[in-house]
Amino acid sequence: GGKIFMTLWPDKKRAVLKLPLADQQALVQMDPEAFSIGSWGRQGFTLVDLARVNAAQLRVLADAAWRTVASKDLLERHPLPE
């Protein structure tokens, strides 16, 4: 019963993350060369060009993607750091 929040294709320098739609839109507007919307975009899946983001950015995005699909129980057990 797992949920997909991120898929990586390191050899193609691409990733797909499931993000809230508002976050997806903000990223695409902020940097359309790094972030784009594919065929699953209406569900929040966002394409990422890994050559255009650094490791810290990807870490933050991966956390946001995980929080988008995680159960309420998991979110309670792993709150955001203050």
Side-chain angles (χ1 to χ4, degrees):
K3 295 181 180 181
I4 296 172
F5 66 94
M6 181 176 184
T7 303
L8 288 171
W9 293 281
D11 57 321
K12 295 181 181 180
K13 295 185 177 162
R14 293 185 59 178
V16 174
L17 298 135
K18 182 164 175 63
L19 299 169
L21 292 175
D23 292 350
Q24 176 195 64
Q25 293 298 321
L27 288 169
V28 171
Q29 287 178 5
M30 179 180 70
D31 190 349
E33 292 189 24
F35 306 101
S36 59
I37 300 169
S39 59
W40 289 72
R42 289 185 180 164
Q43 295 177 346
F45 287 99
T46 308
L47 302 169
V48 181
D49 181 344
L50 296 175
R52 297 189 172 273
V53 298
N54 63 42
Q57 290 170 312
L58 188 58
R59 198 172 302 116
V60 168
L61 292 169
D63 183 69
W66 180 80
R67 291 184 180 286
T68 300
V69 302
S71 68
K72 185 177 179 179
D73 179 56
L74 279 173
L75 291 172
E76 288 174 357
R77 287 191 281 155
H78 301 280
L80 283 170
E82 293 185 21

